[in-house]
Coordinates of all heavy atoms in Angstrom, one line a residue:
L37 N -138.4 86.6 215.4 CA -137.4 87.4 216.1 C -137.7 87.4 217.6 O -136.8 87.7 218.4 CB -137.5 88.8 215.6 CG -137.0 89.1 214.2 CD1 -136.9 90.6 213.9 CD2 -135.6 88.4 214.0
V38 N -138.9 87.2 218.1 CA -139.1 87.3 219.5 C -139.2 85.8 220.0 O -139.8 84.9 219.5 CB -140.6 87.9 219.8 CG1 -141.7 87.2 219.3 CG2 -140.7 88.0 221.4
S39 N -138.4 85.6 221.0 CA -138.1 84.2 221.6 C -139.4 83.8 222.5 O -139.9 84.7 223.2 CB -136.9 84.1 222.3 OG -136.7 82.9 223.0
S40 N -139.6 82.6 222.5 CA -140.6 82.1 223.5 C -140.1 82.1 224.9 O -140.8 82.0 225.9 CB -141.0 80.6 223.2 OG -139.9 79.8 223.1
D41 N -138.7 82.3 224.9 CA -138.1 82.4 226.3 C -137.9 83.9 226.7 O -137.1 84.2 227.6 CB -136.7 81.8 226.3 CG -136.9 80.3 226.5 OD1 -137.8 79.8 227.2 OD2 -136.0 79.5 226.1
S42 N -138.6 84.8 225.9 CA -138.7 86.2 226.4 C -139.9 86.5 226.9 O -141.1 86.1 226.5 CB -138.4 87.1 225.1 OG -138.6 88.5 225.5
D43 N -140.0 87.5 228.0 CA -141.2 87.9 228.5 C -142.0 88.8 227.6 O -143.2 88.9 227.8 CB -140.9 88.7 229.8 CG -142.1 88.7 230.8 OD1 -142.7 87.7 231.0 OD2 -142.4 89.8 231.3
W44 N -141.4 89.3 226.6 CA -142.1 90.0 225.5 C -143.1 89.2 224.7 O -143.9 89.7 224.1 CB -141.1 90.8 224.6 CG -140.3 91.9 225.2 CD1 -140.6 92.4 226.5 CD2 -139.2 92.5 224.7 NE1 -139.7 93.5 226.7 CE2 -138.8 93.5 225.6 CE3 -138.4 92.4 223.5 CZ2 -137.7 94.4 225.3 CZ3 -137.4 93.3 223.2 CH2 -137.0 94.2 224.3
N45 N -142.8 87.8 224.8 CA -143.6 87.0 223.9 C -145.1 87.1 224.1 O -145.9 87.0 223.2 CB -143.0 85.6 224.1 CG -143.8 84.6 223.1 OD1 -144.8 83.9 223.5 ND2 -143.4 84.5 221.9
K46 N -145.4 87.4 225.4 CA -146.8 87.4 225.8 C -147.6 88.6 225.2 O -148.8 88.6 225.1 CB -147.0 87.2 227.2 CG -146.4 88.3 228.1 CD -146.5 88.0 229.5 CE -145.8 89.1 230.4 NZ -145.7 88.7 231.7
Y47 N -146.8 89.6 224.9 CA -147.4 90.9 224.4 C -147.5 90.9 222.9 O -148.2 91.7 222.2 CB -146.7 92.1 224.8 CG -146.6 92.1 226.4 CD1 -145.5 92.0 227.1 CD2 -147.8 92.5 227.1 CE1 -145.4 92.1 228.5 CE2 -147.8 92.5 228.5 CZ -146.6 92.4 229.1 OH -146.6 92.5 230.5
V48 N -146.8 90.0 222.1 CA -146.7 90.1 220.6 C -148.0 90.0 220.0 O -148.3 90.7 219.1 CB -145.6 89.1 220.2 CG1 -145.7 89.0 218.6 CG2 -144.3 89.4 220.6
P49 N -148.9 89.0 220.3 CA -150.1 88.9 219.6 C -151.0 90.2 219.6 O -151.5 90.7 218.6 CB -150.8 87.8 220.3 CG -149.8 86.9 220.9 CD -148.7 87.9 221.3
L50 N -150.9 90.9 220.8 CA -151.8 92.1 220.8 C -151.1 93.2 220.0 O -151.8 93.9 219.3 CB -151.9 92.5 222.3 CG -152.6 93.8 222.6 CD1 -154.0 93.6 222.2 CD2 -152.6 94.1 224.1
V51 N -149.7 93.2 220.1 CA -149.1 94.3 219.4 C -149.2 94.1 217.8 O -149.5 95.0 217.1 CB -147.6 94.5 219.7 CG1 -146.9 95.5 218.8 CG2 -147.5 94.8 221.2
Q52 N -149.1 92.8 217.4 CA -149.4 92.5 216.0 C -150.7 92.8 215.6 O -150.8 93.4 214.5 CB -149.1 91.0 215.8 CG -147.7 90.5 215.9 CD -147.6 89.1 215.6 OE1 -148.2 88.2 216.2 NE2 -146.7 88.6 214.7
A53 N -151.7 92.5 216.3 CA -153.1 92.8 216.0 C -153.2 94.3 215.9 O -154.0 94.8 215.0 CB -154.1 92.3 216.9
A54 N -152.7 95.1 216.8 CA -152.7 96.5 216.7 C -154.1 97.1 216.7 O -154.4 98.0 215.9 CB -151.8 97.0 215.6
E55 N -155.0 96.6 217.4 CA -156.4 97.0 217.4 C -156.5 98.2 218.4 O -156.2 97.9 219.5 CB -157.3 95.9 217.8 CG -158.8 96.1 217.3 CD -159.4 97.1 218.3 OE1 -159.5 96.9 219.5 OE2 -159.9 98.2 217.8
P56 N -156.7 99.4 218.0 CA -156.7 100.5 218.9 C -157.4 100.4 220.2 O -156.9 100.8 221.2 CB -157.3 101.7 218.0 CG -157.0 101.3 216.6 CD -157.2 99.8 216.7
N57 N -158.7 99.9 220.1 CA -159.4 99.7 221.4 C -158.7 98.7 222.4 O -158.7 99.0 223.6 CB -160.8 99.3 221.0 CG -161.6 100.3 220.2 OD1 -161.8 101.4 220.7 ND2 -162.0 100.0 219.1
A58 N -158.2 97.7 221.7 CA -157.6 96.6 222.6 C -156.3 97.2 223.2 O -156.0 97.0 224.4 CB -157.3 95.4 221.8
V59 N -155.5 97.9 222.4 CA -154.2 98.5 222.9 C -154.5 99.5 224.0 O -153.9 99.6 225.1 CB -153.4 99.1 221.8 CG1 -152.2 99.9 222.4 CG2 -153.0 98.0 220.8
A60 N -155.6 100.3 223.8 CA -155.9 101.4 224.8 C -156.4 100.7 226.0 O -156.1 101.1 227.1 CB -157.0 102.3 224.3
F61 N -157.2 99.6 225.9 CA -157.7 98.9 227.1 C -156.5 98.3 227.9 O -156.4 98.4 229.1 CB -158.6 97.7 226.7 CG -159.1 96.9 227.8 CD1 -160.1 97.4 228.7 CD2 -158.5 95.6 228.0 CE1 -160.6 96.6 229.7 CE2 -159.0 94.9 229.1 CZ -160.0 95.3 229.9
L62 N -155.5 97.7 227.1 CA -154.3 97.2 227.8 C -153.6 98.2 228.5 O -153.1 98.1 229.7 CB -153.4 96.5 226.8 CG -152.1 96.0 227.3 CD1 -152.3 94.7 228.2 CD2 -151.1 95.6 226.2
L63 N -153.4 99.4 228.0 CA -152.6 100.5 228.6 C -153.4 101.0 229.9 O -152.8 101.3 230.8 CB -152.4 101.6 227.7 CG -151.4 101.4 226.5 CD1 -151.4 102.5 225.5 CD2 -150.0 101.1 227.0
K64 N -154.7 101.0 229.8 CA -155.5 101.5 230.9 C -155.5 100.5 232.1 O -155.5 100.9 233.3 CB -156.9 101.8 230.5 CG -157.1 103.0 229.6 CD -158.5 103.4 229.2 CE -158.5 104.6 228.4 NZ -159.9 104.9 228.0
T65 N -155.6 99.2 231.8 CA -155.7 98.2 232.8 C -154.3 97.8 233.3 O -154.2 97.5 234.6 CB -156.5 97.0 232.3 OG1 -155.8 96.5 231.1 CG2 -157.9 97.4 231.9
V66 N -153.3 97.6 232.5 CA -152.1 97.0 232.9 C -151.2 98.2 233.3 O -150.6 98.2 234.4 CB -151.4 96.2 231.8 CG1 -150.0 95.8 232.2 CG2 -152.2 95.0 231.5
A67 N -151.0 99.2 232.4 CA -150.2 100.4 232.8 C -150.8 101.4 233.6 O -150.2 102.4 234.0 CB -149.6 101.0 231.5
Q68 N -152.1 101.3 233.8 CA -152.9 102.3 234.7 C -152.8 103.7 234.1 O -152.6 104.7 234.9 CB -152.4 102.3 236.1 CG -152.6 100.9 236.8 CD -154.1 100.5 237.0 OE1 -154.8 101.3 237.6 NE2 -154.4 99.3 236.6

C-alpha cells in the first residue's frame, strides 16, 4: 500500500517495527 515514490516510505520500517523506545527516540529527535 505504501509506494516507493511516497515520502512516507522511509518511515514505514520504523512504524512496522513499532518498538516503543525507537518510536519515542524518533519523536524526540525528529519532531523535537
Side-chain angles (χ1 to χ4, degrees):
L37 292 188
V38 64
S39 169
S40 60
D41 278 336
S42 170
D43 202 45
W44 289 349
N45 183 261
K46 59 188 177 186
Y47 300 112
V48 169
L50 181 62
V51 176
Q52 283 181 311
E55 200 285 302
N57 295 300
V59 174
F61 177 78
L62 176 70
L63 291 173
K64 289 180 177 180
T65 56
V66 176
Q68 300 293 306

